[in-house]
Amino acid sequence: MDPTTDNAGHTGDPGNARASLEALRAEIAKAVVGQDPAVTGLVVALLCRGHVLLEGVPGVAKTLLVRALASALELDTKRVQFTPDLMPSDVTGSLVYDARTAEFSFQPGPVFTNLLLADEINRTPPKTQSSLLEAMEERQVTVDGTPRPLPDPFLVAATQNPVEYEGTYPLPEAQLDRFLLKLTIPLPSRQDEIDVLTRHAQGFNPRDLRAAGVRPVAGHADLEAARAAVAKTTVSPEITAYVVDICRATRESPSLTLGVSPRGATALLATSRAWAWLTGRDYVIPDDVKALALPTLRHRVQLRPEAEMEGVTADSVINAILTHVPVPR
């Protein structure tokens, strides 16, 4: 078999790869209504080898969205329900004693997959949350001093309830910074909610995506071809300076105690390139940076308490910065 073709016959042609990734939206829409921005964000994260934090109130199809993505991508996926009593070894795996051989052998945890759904990640204490840090950053797990590489691609799609909900633990800043994007999942519009109920009345079962018609439309070869094409997307010096100016402006904002780090600036550059390629261009324009600024930066800043009391949000601060930072021509 051609090395640029996967088991389902998907080729590694960049043009075909873009078409296949665009087809994900239509495929996921068979199961999830009205969440195109979130679907796009998940695709951007895959292209950038990043991770995604999905935030929304319970019942807005965060988990269903990730499951539908995995079904449409021919990727191995596992789900971990984060609870207060979850231990780090429940995520990463552990050494297990084999009485027959009188030796310890490593039993891989659910993190050894392509797409890990970390469901309600902020319901578990920081110790278990931090067990994902090495996996997310180094793409490996170290147990008993031995590093074990994770599969490629590897993406953590974590869902969380808003922090004001009972029984939640705030994610440490170091872990938040490991997420490439934070996507907010809003409540559906009236018409979208009617569509959801109509589907259920017609027999839709969210636990059986195959019956809903969700089929694989992209594979590993498509992702590899797409990533290679994104890496060739041109970024002018003016765009690079624009990204830096936006991130530096967050550090000077009177509403923030914590601005965007250089890691965040690198992330914004990467997501802008991926979005430019998805929209059919081989170069980045300022609108690409603006389009990805909120999901890439909103979780990397920290509001001052007095600003928060006045109703200021991270999104409003970033939007104000985008308005005032000069746009390159």
Side-chain angles (χ1 to χ4, degrees), residues 141-154:
V141 168
T142 301
V143 177
D144 196 34
T146 302
R148 295 173 169 85
L150 296 171
D152 183 50
F154 172 68

Side-chain angles (χ1 to χ4, degrees), residues 47-63:
L47 293 177
C48 299
R49 303 177 191 272
H51 309 286
V52 177
L53 183 62
L54 300 165
E55 182 177 277
V57 299
V60 291
K62 300 185 296 293
T63 304

Side-chain angles (χ1 to χ4, degrees), residues 270-287:
T271 56
S272 301
R273 292 177 86 181
W275 176 243
W277 180 82
L278 277 174
T279 52
R281 278 178 283 102
D282 60 358
Y283 57 92
V284 180
I285 61 175
D287 283 350

Side-chain angles (χ1 to χ4, degrees), residues 105-129:
S105 61
F106 179 67
Q107 183 68 36
V111 75
F112 286 85
T113 187
N114 296 125
L115 180 56
L116 177 67
L117 172 56
D119 216 353
E120 296 187 304
I121 190 173
N122 61 337
R123 286 199 179 278
T124 199
K127 179 180 180 180
T128 303
Q129 291 174 6

